[in-house]
Amino acid sequence: MSEQGRSTEPGPEPAPAPAANPPGQPGPGSGPQPRGADSRPEPDGAGADEDSSTAAMGAAEAAAARIAWLEDQRLRALADLDNLRKRCASQVSGARAETRAEVARRWLPVIDNLERALAHAQADPGSIIEGVRAVRDQAESILAGLGFPRREDLGARFDPARHEAVASRPDPQAPDGSVVEVVLPGYGDGSGQLRPAQVVVSRAD
């Protein structure tokens, strides 16, 4: 049969290609796949918890370091305070010892004069009296130099802060409540009073 006698009818059309899956849709055979342990995603918030734990540990370490530093400063301050207390106590003790020594040195001439008076006890009684009086004046001068001068309270108005009444007696020539006799003189005055004077006070008859 010639080519002209061949049938020209069209053959069957080829099957259409499968349609592409819409975007976002899994293709055939693309169902859920099993996940291994290593591919499991971390739970929500795990990273935040780890950061929070690290920050808390850092804050705790900083607080511990701060506490240790403060404790060291406290111990240093206590040691400095104790050293200062000991130094002050030593200085006060030294000052007191020097003051006592200075006062004692001032009284040495008085003792020397008393010994001279005793050495001349067989001499003229008048000269002995004069010598004792001179020693007394010297002692009073030392007390005045130390800030405790002898007071003259005869005739003064009785003052319980400066006088100690040992007796009272009527005296028409003296105002009532005045000092008519000084038994023991007072030394110093005010806050610097060494002792009050012992006196006899006049009273109305």
Side-chain angles (χ1 to χ4, degrees), residues 163-174:
H163 305 133
E164 179 183 349
V166 296
S168 65
R169 67 172 183 236
D171 190 332
Q173 297 181 353

Side-chain angles (χ1 to χ4, degrees), residues 26-93:
S30 61
Q33 300 295 324
R35 297 175 179 171
D38 294 338
S39 63
R40 182 178 301 172
E42 295 182 354
D44 294 343
D49 291 343
E50 183 177 354
D51 293 342
S52 177
S53 176
T54 302
M57 291 179 61
E61 292 177 356
R66 176 68 175 175
I67 291 172
W69 181 82
L70 291 173
E71 178 65 13
D72 179 70
Q73 294 300 308
R74 184 183 73 86
L75 294 176
R76 289 175 181 271
L78 289 176
D80 292 341
L81 183 61
D82 186 60
N83 291 335
L84 178 62
R85 179 186 61 80
K86 292 178 180 179
R87 184 163 58 251
C88 290
S90 177
Q91 292 176 352
V92 170
S93 178

Side-chain angles (χ1 to χ4, degrees), residues 22-188:
Q25 296 294 329
S30 61
Q33 300 295 324
R35 297 175 179 171
D38 294 338
S39 63
R40 182 178 301 172
E42 295 182 354
D44 294 343
D49 291 343
E50 183 177 354
D51 293 342
S52 177
S53 176
T54 302
M57 291 179 61
E61 292 177 356
R66 176 68 175 175
I67 291 172
W69 181 82
L70 291 173
E71 178 65 13
D72 179 70
Q73 294 300 308
R74 184 183 73 86
L75 294 176
R76 289 175 181 271
L78 289 176
D80 292 341
L81 183 61
D82 186 60
N83 291 335
L84 178 62
R85 179 186 61 80
K86 292 178 180 179
R87 184 163 58 251
C88 290
S90 177
Q91 292 176 352
V92 170
S93 178
R96 287 177 177 173
E98 178 60 28
T99 300
R100 289 194 299 269
E102 177 62 24
V103 173
R105 280 192 293 269
R106 294 189 183 188
W107 283 99
L108 289 177
V110 176
I111 296 176
D112 295 339
N113 289 333
L114 288 174
E115 288 182 349
R116 293 189 186 96
L118 291 174
H120 295 84
Q122 302 301 323
D124 179 30
S127 62
I128 294 177
I129 294 175
E130 290 298 325
V132 172
R133 185 177 288 111
V135 172
R136 183 204 61 187
D137 294 342
Q138 186 179 23
E140 289 180 351
S141 176
I142 291 174
L143 287 173
L146 293 173
F148 307 106
R150 177 172 175 166
R151 292 202 315 264
E152 298 297 334
D153 293 309
L154 186 62
R157 183 72 180 174
F158 177 78
D159 183 353
R162 305 172 72 243
H163 305 133
E164 179 183 349
V166 296
S168 65
R169 67 172 183 236
D171 190 332
Q173 297 181 353
D176 186 29
S178 61
V179 176
V180 294
E181 181 182 349
V182 177
V183 179
L184 289 176
Y187 291 89

